[in-house]
Amino acid sequence: MSGLQGRGDGRPARRPRGGDASAFRSTLIALASTVVFFGALAWIVVSSPGWPAIQRSFLNGKVFAASLPSIVGSFAVNVQLFLIAEVLILGLGMVIAVLRSLPGPVFFPVRLVTTIYVDVFRALPGVLVIYILGFGIPGLGIAGVPIEPFFYAVVALTLIYSAYVSEVYRAGIESIHPSQDAAARSLGLSRFQSLRYVILPQAVRRVVPPLLNDFIGLQKDTVLVSYIGVVEIFRQSYIKQAGSFNYTPYLATALVFLVMTIPLARLTDWLIAREVRRRQGGAALALAGTQGRGVASAPTRGAR
Amino acid sequence: MTSALSIQGLRKAFGRLEVLRGIDLEVAEHEVIALIGASGSGKSTLLRCINLIEPVDEGRIVVEGTEITAKGVNVDRVRRSIGIVFQSFNLFPQMRVLDNVTLAPRKVLGRRRAEAEAAAMALLERFGLEDKAHDYPDRLSGGQQQRVAIVRALAMQPDLLLLDEVTSALDPELVAEVLNVIRELAAGGMTMLIATHEMGFARDIANRVCFLDQGVILEQGPPDVIFRAPAQSRTRQFLERIIEAGRL
Ligand SMILES: Nc1ncnc2c1ncn2[C@@H]1O[C@H](COP(=O)(O)OP(=O)(O)OP(=O)(O)O)[C@@H](O)[C@H]1O
Ligand SMILES: [Mg+2]
């Protein structure tokens, strides 16, 4: 029995020996089945009739080496686009979310306009928005209106993603129990002060993981602006492909995105897992204090 | 005698449910009122109306000579001088204890941080919480959290303190420390309106007990009278149920 109990220092007891052996065996099985599966898949691909042609046009080492520097170089445009748009999106999304949660009949027009905005930009395919803004507005020929495609790329991505991000913020705001607002208002804080100092800090902390998810999407969607003539990574790989009659540059582009995006995805997952752990930990503590009666305090804890 | 609080004909309904159906109540300066009544009788609703967290349907509430239910009253300004403490503490979890206490003095009253923190530390010390000042609320026991919530309300130096079943969410062994804080406040002359199920405590501390039933104050008087010889049969029934439950 004692093998199953804690050792008194808070750590769980070590598993009995049989556990180590069975863990080793399941690792072996996982390894073997992985090798068999991917081996079979590779064999099917490599032995297919079209493989030699595909290998030549997609996996050309020389073309890869020649195109990679300019592809990585033009990725700087995507990064720039992404960074500028991201800052604007975080701001605009927040403003939309706050406007949409204003209560009372006075603010009905505000809620109506912001709701329509969010609905429209979530309904439209991103490419269409980029096309319409990027070709339409400069086409009007109004004096003083910029004509650079990069400008419209930033505007279009900001408008599209702010609609999504405002919904994420709003979900966060609504997840904060109304008793927090009541407590703040009862101390004499105004509606805005309660939002600013009490509600939003808690809401934003909760929605960091879904926000990061949206930014992974944004990072990838920066290639869409190639359609209005911004020479970014995707446009550059098209240029390289057209020049070499070889598709390897697209593979290089894919590689760049994998290297950029996978770490961000991992970080997001880690943050979500941490948030879940923290909430469970906090809830357990709150329960310990109140024996599960009453509402107890909100479960999350501030970042240090 | 000036009234600290005067309520006349207060009515409040949630949809078709009439919770308060004409409340009249006069509270003198330094008076401690215990509000008792069955669950759902409207004790919390009454306290929330006095703080204007719940909008009032009908009636007048006058605090220190100012009608707070009048049109065009700045509700934020009213709430500054009326503290309320909730059953579920409602501390701000993302802030340390000290910031919980100083937020309103700094942002609402415009106090400088150093000044607000010195005042907050003095209050925390008075209630034995000085070593918790830099902790986050979820590190505290329920009793400590509730004492911090009281300190947070006191930091605004309210004229009137509303306490809504502040011990109901606590383990029995943590109740005493919170009740002692309230006793000290009563001894210091704080005007308080206390909704409670702790009848022994109500009898100890209150100058007057109000029994809330079906949306009105059915009976009120000194604790000795209400608890020993209530005039209304409904008050008697309520107290008998409480005695059966072993809470008196
Ligand atoms: N926001 C609300 N919306 C609808 N009904 C409500 C709301 N708040 C309270 N009520 C109802 O009003 C009635 C009075 O509730 P209240 O919380 O004031 O009672 P209470 O006397 O404090 O009870 P308890 O002793 O259980 O705390 C209850 O029937 C409750 O369901
Ligand atoms: Mg109540």
Side-chain angles (χ1 to χ4, degrees):
Chain A
M1 251 347 267
S2 67
L4 291 173
Q5 280 164 356
R7 281 181 297 183
D9 58 359
R11 280 183 292 163
R14 199 139 64 92
R15 289 225 226 117
R17 285 221 155 269
D20 289 351
S22 83
F24 180 66
R25 197 167 59 229
S26 39
T27 308
L28 264 189
I29 293 171
L31 198 67
S33 81
T34 308
V35 167
V36 168
F37 176 76
F38 284 102
L41 200 64
W43 184 79
I44 291 169
V45 170
V46 171
S47 64
S48 66
W51 173 245
I54 288 293
Q55 198 180 14
R56 266 195 310 283
S57 52
F58 275 92
L59 296 171
N60 188 317
K62 274 206 200 90
V63 175
F64 184 84
S67 62
L68 192 62
S70 70
I71 282 178
V72 170
S74 58
F75 189 62
V77 177
N78 296 69
V79 171
Q80 222 178 354
L81 188 56
F82 171 77
L83 290 178
I84 296 173
E86 181 179 295
V87 171
L88 295 175
I89 290 162
L90 284 172
L92 182 61
M94 175 70 79
V95 170
I96 302 285
V98 167
L99 291 179
R100 256 194 108 173
S101 358
L102 289 177
V106 185
F107 294 108
F108 178 75
V110 176
R111 287 198 299 273
L112 183 71
V113 169
T114 49
T115 305
I116 291 174
Y117 161 78
V118 171
D119 281 357
V120 165
F121 281 92
R122 286 193 308 170
L124 290 174
V127 171
L128 276 179
V129 176
I130 291 166
Y131 251 95
I132 293 169
L133 287 178
F135 290 136
I137 302 217
L140 292 174
I142 301 169
V145 169
I147 51 161
E148 298 82 22
F150 187 85
F151 173 81
Y152 291 98
V154 171
V155 170
L157 287 176
T158 301
L159 287 176
I160 297 163
Y161 271 87
S162 294
Y164 288 99
V165 164
S166 76
E167 285 297 277
V168 171
Y169 278 136
R170 204 163 64 96
I173 291 171
E174 277 168 14
S175 79
I176 305 301
H177 198 273
S179 62
Q180 285 285 307
D181 185 57
R185 300 299 304 277
S186 77
L187 290 164
L189 273 75
S190 68
R191 173 178 292 157
F192 175 78
Q193 286 175 322
S194 167
L195 200 62
R196 161 81 181 74
Y197 298 112
V198 175
I199 308 297
L200 287 183
Q202 296 180 59
V204 168
R205 185 160 302 133
R206 280 189 197 177
V207 298
V208 165
L211 280 182
L212 282 175
N213 252 333
D214 276 350
F215 285 136
I216 292 172
L218 173 64
Q219 211 171 48
K220 295 189 294 182
D221 276 357
T222 54
V223 301
L224 296 177
V225 308
S226 63
Y227 288 108
I228 54 171
V230 178
V231 182
E232 44 64 73
I233 189 168
F234 186 58
R235 188 81 185 166
Q236 187 65 35
S237 47
Y238 169 76
I239 293 168
K240 288 290 163 191
Q241 176 262 318
S244 64
F245 301 105
N246 189 290
Y247 292 101
T248 305
Y250 287 129
L251 216 74
T253 299
L255 208 65
V256 171
F257 272 99
L258 288 180
V259 168
M260 289 301 295
T261 308
I262 287 182
L264 193 54
R266 289 276 111 230
L267 174 69
T268 307
D269 288 354
W270 179 77
L271 284 174
I272 291 172
R274 196 184 64 164
E275 181 71 17
V276 167
R277 267 202 313 277
R278 192 159 63 179
R279 279 196 204 190
Q280 285 168 348
L285 238 157
L287 287 183
T290 64
Q291 270 198 349
R293 278 175 285 134
V295 187
S297 64
T300 50
R301 170 143 38 93
R304 294 302 119 101
Chain B
M1 188 184 77
T2 52
S3 269
L5 169 70
S6 164
I7 302 175
Q8 294 142 22
L10 178 64
R11 300 179 84 87
K12 171 73 189 176
F14 293 107
R16 311 180 72 185
L17 177 70
E18 288 190 298
V19 179
L20 304 179
R21 301 187 305 148
I23 298 281
D24 297 296
L25 182 65
E26 297 288 327
V27 181
E29 208 85 54
H30 310 306
E31 207 178 1
V32 177
I33 306 273
L35 214 51
I36 63 170
S39 183
S41 58
K43 303 183 293 294
S44 299
T45 306
L46 175 57
L47 295 183
R48 293 168 67 91
C49 282
I50 296 171
N51 196 265
L52 302 181
I53 299 175
E54 290 296 350
V56 169
D57 293 343
E58 235 180 86
R60 279 159 45 92
I61 302 176
V62 180
V63 176
E64 304 282 340
T66 310
E67 185 188 344
I68 63 173
T69 40
K71 277 209 166 62
V73 163
N74 180 343
V75 293
D76 296 332
R77 190 167 283 276
V78 168
R79 292 197 187 102
R80 286 178 200 180
S81 55
I82 306 175
I84 185 166
V85 181
F86 305 92
Q87 179 176 348
S88 53
F89 327 146
N90 300 351
L91 294 179
F92 308 132
Q94 82 280 17
M95 290 178 203
R96 294 167 199 273
V97 164
L98 191 57
D99 297 325
N100 261 278
V101 178
T102 58
L103 179 71
R106 287 193 292 124
K107 302 302 175 190
V108 178
L109 303 180
R111 298 271 150 76
R112 281 199 315 274
R113 180 182 279 277
E115 190 190 347
E117 289 190 346
M121 282 310 295
L123 276 173
L124 289 170
E125 252 165 58
R126 184 171 148 203
F127 298 112
L129 290 162
E130 67 275 16
D131 55 329
K132 302 294 174 194
H134 299 284
D135 283 343
Y136 285 89
D138 68 357
R139 288 277 149 222
L140 273 52
S141 76
Q144 291 165 339
Q145 290 189 49
Q146 192 59 293
R147 283 186 286 149
V148 171
I150 293 172
V151 165
R152 182 174 69 176
L154 291 177
M156 291 296 283
Q157 299 177 311
D159 301 323
L160 175 66
L161 191 60
L162 312 171
L163 302 172
D164 189 3
E165 290 186 38
V166 292
T167 57
S168 302
L170 298 177
D171 278 346
E173 73 267 25
L174 302 178
V175 167
E177 63 184 68
V178 173
L179 294 187
N180 285 337
V181 167
I182 300 171
R183 275 199 189 90
E184 199 195 315
L185 292 176
M190 176 66 77
T191 313
M192 288 188 283
L193 210 58
I194 308 175
T196 184
H197 284 300
E198 302 276 344
M199 297 303 154
F201 174 67
R203 193 163 53 182
D204 268 10
I205 195 176
N207 307 116
R208 186 151 42 113
V209 177
C210 296
F211 175 61
L212 207 59
D213 185 61
Q214 299 186 338
V216 296
I217 295 176
L218 188 65
E219 184 169 4
Q220 55 178 304
D224 280 345
V225 175
I226 298 291
F227 288 121
R228 295 238 166 78
Q232 302 286 335
S233 62
R234 292 191 62 88
T235 316
R236 253 193 315 275
Q237 284 165 12
F238 170 74
L239 290 171
E240 272 160 17
R241 278 204 307 278
I242 295 279
I243 291 166
E244 269 170 41
R247 300 192 74 152
L248 185 65

